[in-house]
Amino acid sequence: MTRNEIIERIQELRKKRRAVILAHNYQIGEVQDIADFTGDSLGLSQEAARCDAEVIVFCGVHFMAETAAILSPRKTVLLPDPRAGCPMADMITAPELRDWKARYPGRPVVCYVNTTADVKAESDICCTSSNAVRVVLSLPDEEVLFVPDKNLAAFVARETRKKIIAWDGYCYVHNRILARDVLAAKNAHPAAEVWVHPECRPEVIDLADRVISTGFMVKAARETAAREVLVGTEVGILHRLRKESPRTAFYPVKERALCSNMKKITLIKVLRTLEEMKDRVEVPSAVSRRARGAIKKMVSI
Ligand code: 13P
Ligand code: SF4
C-alpha cells in the first residue's frame, strides 16, 4: 500500500467509525499531519473530554490514552501501539506512592499527568507541564509532595518558592539534554533564543530564555519575532514549530533527543487500529473515578 492509499483508507474509516485522531506534539510528522487535533498533554486531555466522537485514536503514549479514557469513559480509546509507554510514568507505582505518602502525613500529592491511572487515583491533584506552577500555587500548603519528575519539581519549587518534596523520577529524553549541549548550540547560533521544556535539568533551565511546555512552544512560535530559536525538548516538536512559523529557524539543542515510545506510532498502525478496532485502553471504574477527581481538580483551576 502506498502512503497516499494508507491515508485515504484512514480517512474513510475515520468517518465510518465516527473516530477522532488526536496526536501529541512529539509524534512523527506524517501522523501529526493526519490528526484532527495535535497538542500538548493538557490540550489533548481537554480535547478528548470535549469531542463528541465515539472513538478516539490516541497517537501518543499509554498514560495519555488512559487520561482520555478516564475523562471520556463512554468513548472507545485506541492506542495504535500498545507498547508505547512512558518510562517516567513507570518510575512510580501506586503501592510505592502509598508508602511514600505515609512518611509525609498531611502533605498533598501533586502528580504530573505522566503517571499511570493507579498513581493518579492515589493523588490529590494532577498537573501538566503547562500548569504545574499554577496548580501548586493554588494549594494552601507550603509543603507539597510531587511525583514523579524531579526536574519539573525543581522548576516548580523555583517558581513558587514552596517546599517541593520530589520523587526521584525523570524523563530520560529531557534528562539527557545537558548544559554543554545548550552551550554548544548557543555557540553555533549566538543570536538565537533558547526555549526549553521544564522536564529539563535545572542547569539547562538556567541557560534558557523561556521554560515552557510543548503547547506554549507552539503558541510562542506563532507570536515570536525571533529569527532563530534553539529548542530543548523532544525533536518531534520541530515539525509543528516550523509549520506554525516558517519565518523562524528552529534548531534542536540536541538532535538525538528522541522519545522512542512516541515514535512507535506510524500511519500503518493507525490504519490497523481503525480497521480492527483493537488495542483499546480501559481503566477499571473504581480507579477511573478516583483518578478523574485529581484530573478534574486540575482542570477546574
Ligand atoms: P507536554 O506536551 O505537556 O509539554 O509534555 C511533554 C511530554 O514529555 C509528554 O510526554
Ligand atoms: Fe515519557 Fe519523556 Fe517520552 Fe514524554 S518524552 S513520553 S515524558 S519518556
Side-chain angles (χ1 to χ4, degrees), residues 40-171:
D40 68 356
S41 311
L42 180 63
L44 289 167
S45 39
Q46 287 167 335
E47 194 60 30
R50 189 165 41 216
C51 73
D52 59 5
E54 282 166 22
V55 176
I56 295 175
V57 178
F58 209 109
C59 302
V61 291
H62 192 266
F63 75 80
M64 295 179 173
E66 244 185 9
T67 306
I70 291 165
L71 287 169
S72 303
R74 275 188 286 276
K75 291 174 191 154
T76 302
V77 179
L78 304 169
L79 182 62
D81 187 329
R83 295 165 312 147
C86 168
M88 169 154 71
D90 295 335
M91 285 178 185
I92 185 162
T93 63
E96 283 172 333
L97 177 52
R98 275 195 294 273
D99 288 350
W100 198 55
K101 279 198 303 192
R103 286 172 43 203
Y104 298 97
R107 275 77 154 190
V109 177
V110 179
C111 77
Y112 191 22
V113 72
N114 299 36
T115 42
T116 61
D118 288 332
V119 165
K120 288 186 180 79
E122 290 293 331
S123 304
D124 295 288
I125 186 164
C126 198
C127 73
T128 72
S129 56
S130 53
N131 62 17
V133 169
R134 224 163 349 123
V135 164
V136 169
L137 284 175
S138 77
L139 302 170
D141 315 73
E142 280 311 307
E143 280 189 28
V144 166
L145 300 178
F146 193 99
V147 296
D149 187 359
K150 63 178 176 186
N151 289 333
L152 181 60
F155 175 68
V156 171
R158 170 192 297 218
E159 295 291 308
T160 61
R161 301 188 175 273
K162 292 198 183 195
K163 180 165 179 198
I164 312 292
I165 305 163
W167 189 257
D168 191 21
Y170 58 88
C171 162

Side-chain angles (χ1 to χ4, degrees), residues 24 26 40-41 63-64 112 114 129 174 197 199 213-215 262:
H24 188 265
Y26 294 159
D40 68 356
S41 311
F63 75 80
M64 295 179 173
Y112 191 22
N114 299 36
S129 56
H174 290 90
H197 195 275
E199 286 176 20
S213 69
T214 65
M262 285 282 181

Side-chain angles (χ1 to χ4, degrees), residues 3-32:
R3 190 172 157 277
N4 283 348
E5 285 166 346
I6 296 172
I7 293 173
E8 246 171 61
R9 186 80 187 117
I10 290 174
Q11 309 298 21
E12 282 166 25
L13 280 172
R14 178 187 353 224
K15 276 200 203 110
K16 185 168 160 203
R17 308 270 194 235
R18 290 189 34 80
V20 70
I21 301 175
L22 305 183
H24 188 265
N25 290 322
Y26 294 159
Q27 290 291 295
I28 59 171
E30 55 187 23
V31 168
Q32 292 192 29

